[in-house]
Amino acid sequence: MAAVAQGMRRRGLDALLVSDPRSIWYLTGVWNEPFERLYVLCLDACGRAVLVVNRLFNVPETAAETVWYSDADDAVQVLSRRDSLRGTVGVDGNWPARFLLPLMTLRPDARFVPGSACVDEVRGRKDAEEIALMAEASRINDVCMERAMAHVRGGMSELELAAYIDEQFRAEGADGPCFETIVSFGANAADPHHSPDATVLKDGDCVLIDMGCRRARYCSDMTRTNFFKSAPPRAAAVHDIVRTAQERAVSLVRPGVPLKDIDAAARSCIADAGYGDCFTHRLGHFCGQDDHEPGDVSTSSPIIAEEGMIFSIEPGIYLPGEFGVRIEDLVLVTADGCRPLNHVDHRWHLVGA
């Protein structure tokens, strides 16, 4: 709360409305899934907090002053009576317009501006407990990735392998996947966000798996690409290019380095090999309670690496109609460099042979 309040003062905010349930849990220790109902934490620049919540939910009054409303009340009216909603009020990007627009009408004396960064920048720097939780989630990811590659068999479908991975997450102690497990065979791997389907594995296909689990609220994320029984020479060469780009980018991660420079290093490796147009997405994204959190590693990122940040490094080359290769690790920025949270070999292997 104190760090968020400091960020508010730096941005000239008099108040901040936080509606993301994960951010509210992060700040107060209170978890609630409000569904369609108004649920918001109001902060002032001194760090005082008021939680506005429906009486339907069993929320303890321990971490913040609580203002209750019922389904018979106009929730926005209840919120609008807060004296702190004056001057410049930040609003997080999760809050629906169906709440914000009426509030703007009821409080014409306030100026409402984007305010997500006040919480995002604090959540972006993990403390020791968060780091330990994410390291454990990544350990589970490593174990399950190796099991998945060992489980690959001819004639299986993408859906069958994805279901096996999700089962292994739970068997290893995870709460389950934190996003739809991506399994892509052959040409399907040229789509970076392919949804697993009934495609059956064939000899020479690449096997791309992008997977992550949630453990004690925190996420993991990793991608590996291997080949079934044989590796076509061009695909193997592309894999080596992507691996070089990924490892080059990771070697640059340390406090003080602009994230756009890390993206540029990986991108130049791929462009110099003649595949610049085939690397179609940013190099990485932040990760924490969500598998994709605000903050990215891209050509336009304004972020400078700081100790405690955890983000992905995941270059790829995608050749439509042929195959795709991506290699991804989560990395933790340390005091003097970085520590990858994933340890499965980056080199390609033959699976199912």
Side-chain angles (χ1 to χ4, degrees), residues 26 81 122 148 162 164 185 204 230 283 339 352:
Y26 178 78
R81 300 185 192 118
V122 180
Y164 174 81
F185 295 157
S230 64
L283 180 64
R339 172 163 67 95

Side-chain angles (χ1 to χ4, degrees), residues 13 20 79 81 112-113 153 164 182 194 208 216 221 239 245 295:
L13 300 183
D20 178 358
L79 173 61
R81 300 185 192 118
F112 294 90
V113 300
R153 298 288 184 274
Y164 174 81
I182 297 173
H194 172 71
L208 187 154
D221 194 359
H239 194 288

Side-chain angles (χ1 to χ4, degrees), residues 30-255:
V30 173
W31 173 255
N32 180 46
E33 175 51 70
F35 303 103
E36 76 278 10
R37 291 175 172 83
L38 183 146
Y39 178 59
V40 67
L41 183 70
C42 308
L43 300 175
D44 67 22
C46 295
R48 290 185 292 263
V50 175
L51 187 62
V52 180
V53 60
N54 194 293
R55 291 186 183 279
L56 178 68
F57 301 111
N58 184 23
V59 172
E61 300 184 46
T62 54
E65 177 188 347
T66 306
V67 172
W68 299 95
Y69 71 91
S70 74
D71 279 355
D73 298 319
D74 183 328
V76 178
Q77 283 276 6
V78 172
L79 173 61
S80 73
R81 300 185 192 118
R82 303 306 306 167
D83 290 338
S84 59
L85 294 183
R86 59 164 57 94
T88 303
V89 180
V91 182
D92 78 12
N94 286 58
W95 212 37
R98 69 177 183 273
F99 298 137
L100 175 58
L101 295 177
L103 182 62
M104 293 171 70
T105 300
L106 290 167
R107 293 302 300 257
D109 54 325
R111 173 173 171 260
F112 294 90
V113 300
S116 292
C118 296
V119 179
D120 293 344
E121 68 181 10
V122 180
R123 282 182 57 178
R125 298 186 299 271
K126 273 50 180 186
D127 63 22
E129 182 180 359
E130 292 177 294
I131 290 167
L133 290 170
M134 293 191 68
E136 172 61 10
S138 290
R139 182 199 67 78
I140 293 172
N141 223 22
D142 282 352
V143 169
C144 294
M145 175 67 81
E146 291 182 331
R147 288 180 187 169
M149 288 301 184
H151 185 71
V152 171
R153 298 288 184 274
M156 75 180 341
S157 72
E158 294 173 342
L159 283 169
E160 288 170 334
L161 184 54
Y164 174 81
I165 291 169
D166 293 351
E167 290 171 0
Q168 295 309 303
F169 280 149
R170 295 181 175 88
E172 192 60 25
D175 302 324
C178 58
F179 57 88
E180 181 187 35
T181 299
I182 297 173
V183 174
S184 306
F185 295 157
N188 289 344
D191 175 2
H193 284 158
H194 172 71
S195 289
D197 59 27
T199 298
V200 173
L201 187 60
K202 307 186 303 298
D203 288 6
D205 276 350
C206 65
V207 178
L208 187 154
I209 300 176
D210 185 343
M211 53 191 275
C213 66
R214 180 173 276 110
R215 166 73 170 167
R217 297 189 185 277
Y218 283 82
C219 298
S220 58
D221 194 359
M222 174 175 58
T223 306
R224 293 292 185 269
T225 308
N226 287 308
F227 300 97
F228 180 58
K229 290 195 173 180
S230 64
R234 186 185 185 206
V238 165
H239 194 288
D240 289 343
I241 295 165
V242 173
R243 178 172 57 83
T244 299
Q246 203 272 348
E247 293 174 353
R248 169 63 176 158
V250 170
S251 74
L252 298 178
V253 178
R254 59 179 50 84

